[in-house]
mmCIF file of all heavy atoms in Angstrom:
data_model
loop_
_atom_site.group_PDB
_atom_site.id
_atom_site.type_symbol
_atom_site.label_atom_id
_atom_site.label_comp_id
_atom_site.label_asym_id
_atom_site.label_seq_id
_atom_site.Cartn_x
_atom_site.Cartn_y
_atom_site.Cartn_z
ATOM 1 N N GLY I 25 -16.205 6.061 1.235
ATOM 2 C CA GLY I 25 -15.273 7.069 1.740
ATOM 3 C C GLY I 25 -14.092 6.453 2.471
ATOM 4 O O GLY I 25 -12.957 6.928 2.348
ATOM 5 N N LEU I 26 -14.334 5.383 3.226
ATOM 6 C CA LEU I 26 -13.247 4.712 3.934
ATOM 7 C C LEU I 26 -12.349 3.939 2.973
ATOM 8 O O LEU I 26 -11.138 3.843 3.191
ATOM 9 C CB LEU I 26 -13.790 3.803 5.036
ATOM 10 C CG LEU I 26 -14.514 4.501 6.184
ATOM 11 C CD1 LEU I 26 -14.920 3.489 7.251
ATOM 12 C CD2 LEU I 26 -13.692 5.624 6.775
ATOM 13 N N ILE I 27 -12.931 3.397 1.912
ATOM 14 C CA ILE I 27 -12.110 2.740 0.886
ATOM 15 C C ILE I 27 -11.149 3.759 0.276
ATOM 16 O O ILE I 27 -9.953 3.504 0.139
ATOM 17 C CB ILE I 27 -12.992 2.089 -0.203
ATOM 18 C CG1 ILE I 27 -13.685 0.852 0.358
ATOM 19 C CG2 ILE I 27 -12.154 1.735 -1.440
ATOM 20 C CD1 ILE I 27 -14.698 0.230 -0.589
ATOM 21 N N ALA I 28 -11.677 4.924 -0.082
ATOM 22 C CA ALA I 28 -10.842 5.963 -0.684
ATOM 23 C C ALA I 28 -9.773 6.433 0.289
ATOM 24 O O ALA I 28 -8.601 6.593 -0.086
ATOM 25 C CB ALA I 28 -11.713 7.142 -1.133
ATOM 26 N N ASN I 29 -10.139 6.649 1.548
ATOM 27 C CA ASN I 29 -9.182 7.080 2.559
ATOM 28 C C ASN I 29 -8.095 6.034 2.767
ATOM 29 O O ASN I 29 -6.909 6.365 2.859
ATOM 30 C CB ASN I 29 -9.916 7.366 3.879
ATOM 31 C CG ASN I 29 -8.956 7.698 4.997
ATOM 32 O OD1 ASN I 29 -8.623 6.821 5.802
ATOM 33 N ND2 ASN I 29 -8.510 8.936 5.050
ATOM 34 N N THR I 30 -8.485 4.775 2.845
ATOM 35 C CA THR I 30 -7.531 3.684 3.045
ATOM 36 C C THR I 30 -6.543 3.614 1.888
ATOM 37 O O THR I 30 -5.328 3.546 2.092
ATOM 38 C CB THR I 30 -8.284 2.345 3.203
ATOM 39 O OG1 THR I 30 -9.146 2.439 4.340
ATOM 40 C CG2 THR I 30 -7.332 1.186 3.381
ATOM 41 N N ALA I 31 -7.059 3.630 0.657
ATOM 42 C CA ALA I 31 -6.181 3.560 -0.517
ATOM 43 C C ALA I 31 -5.247 4.767 -0.580
ATOM 44 O O ALA I 31 -4.057 4.622 -0.887
ATOM 45 C CB ALA I 31 -7.011 3.456 -1.794
ATOM 46 N N GLY I 32 -5.761 5.946 -0.274
ATOM 47 C CA GLY I 32 -4.935 7.146 -0.302
ATOM 48 C C GLY I 32 -3.827 7.110 0.734
ATOM 49 O O GLY I 32 -2.666 7.441 0.442
ATOM 50 N N ALA I 33 -4.174 6.713 1.960
ATOM 51 C CA ALA I 33 -3.163 6.644 3.019
ATOM 52 C C ALA I 33 -2.088 5.612 2.686
ATOM 53 O O ALA I 33 -0.891 5.856 2.888
ATOM 54 C CB ALA I 33 -3.834 6.318 4.349
ATOM 55 N N ILE I 34 -2.502 4.476 2.164
ATOM 56 C CA ILE I 34 -1.539 3.436 1.785
ATOM 57 C C ILE I 34 -0.630 3.938 0.663
ATOM 58 O O ILE I 34 0.586 3.709 0.686
ATOM 59 C CB ILE I 34 -2.268 2.139 1.387
ATOM 60 C CG1 ILE I 34 -2.867 1.486 2.629
ATOM 61 C CG2 ILE I 34 -1.336 1.178 0.654
ATOM 62 C CD1 ILE I 34 -3.816 0.343 2.344
ATOM 63 N N ALA I 35 -1.202 4.624 -0.323
ATOM 64 C CA ALA I 35 -0.395 5.140 -1.436
ATOM 65 C C ALA I 35 0.676 6.105 -0.938
ATOM 66 O O ALA I 35 1.819 6.078 -1.426
ATOM 67 C CB ALA I 35 -1.295 5.817 -2.469
ATOM 68 N N ILE I 36 0.329 6.951 0.036
ATOM 69 C CA ILE I 36 1.332 7.856 0.608
ATOM 70 C C ILE I 36 2.454 7.048 1.250
ATOM 71 O O ILE I 36 3.637 7.359 1.080
ATOM 72 C CB ILE I 36 0.691 8.821 1.623
ATOM 73 C CG1 ILE I 36 -0.179 9.845 0.897
ATOM 74 C CG2 ILE I 36 1.760 9.532 2.456
ATOM 75 C CD1 ILE I 36 -1.023 10.701 1.814
ATOM 76 N N GLY I 37 2.107 5.997 1.979
ATOM 77 C CA GLY I 37 3.114 5.153 2.612
ATOM 78 C C GLY I 37 4.021 4.470 1.609
ATOM 79 O O GLY I 37 5.243 4.401 1.807
ATOM 80 N N LEU I 38 3.442 3.967 0.515
ATOM 81 C CA LEU I 38 4.266 3.328 -0.520
ATOM 82 C C LEU I 38 5.234 4.321 -1.141
ATOM 83 O O LEU I 38 6.412 4.030 -1.336
ATOM 84 C CB LEU I 38 3.373 2.709 -1.599
ATOM 85 C CG LEU I 38 2.561 1.480 -1.196
ATOM 86 C CD1 LEU I 38 1.602 1.093 -2.314
ATOM 87 C CD2 LEU I 38 3.467 0.316 -0.833
ATOM 88 N N GLY I 39 4.735 5.516 -1.455
ATOM 89 C CA GLY I 39 5.590 6.538 -2.057
ATOM 90 C C GLY I 39 6.681 7.015 -1.121
ATOM 91 O O GLY I 39 7.805 7.289 -1.556
ATOM 92 N N ALA I 40 6.378 7.089 0.164
ATOM 93 C CA ALA I 40 7.390 7.512 1.132
ATOM 94 C C ALA I 40 8.476 6.448 1.286
ATOM 95 O O ALA I 40 9.658 6.773 1.409
ATOM 96 C CB ALA I 40 6.742 7.797 2.483
ATOM 97 N N ARG I 41 8.072 5.194 1.270
ATOM 98 C CA ARG I 41 9.030 4.092 1.430
ATOM 99 C C ARG I 41 9.890 3.911 0.187
ATOM 100 O O ARG I 41 11.062 3.599 0.273
ATOM 101 C CB ARG I 41 8.267 2.806 1.745
ATOM 102 C CG ARG I 41 9.110 1.568 1.829
ATOM 103 C CD ARG I 41 9.982 1.559 3.075
ATOM 104 N NE ARG I 41 10.644 0.291 3.216
ATOM 105 C CZ ARG I 41 11.874 0.042 2.767
ATOM 106 N NH1 ARG I 41 12.561 0.971 2.173
ATOM 107 N NH2 ARG I 41 12.403 -1.149 2.936
ATOM 108 N N LEU I 42 9.292 4.098 -0.989
ATOM 109 C CA LEU I 42 10.005 3.910 -2.254
ATOM 110 C C LEU I 42 9.838 5.163 -3.117
ATOM 111 O O LEU I 42 9.008 5.203 -4.027
ATOM 112 C CB LEU I 42 9.465 2.681 -2.994
ATOM 113 C CG LEU I 42 9.615 1.343 -2.264
ATOM 114 C CD1 LEU I 42 8.907 0.237 -3.016
ATOM 115 C CD2 LEU I 42 11.079 0.989 -2.057
#
Side-chain angles (χ1 to χ4, degrees):
L26 295 184
I27 288 173
N29 175 262
T30 300
I34 289 169
I36 289 171
L38 290 173
R41 175 71 173 94
L42 299 173

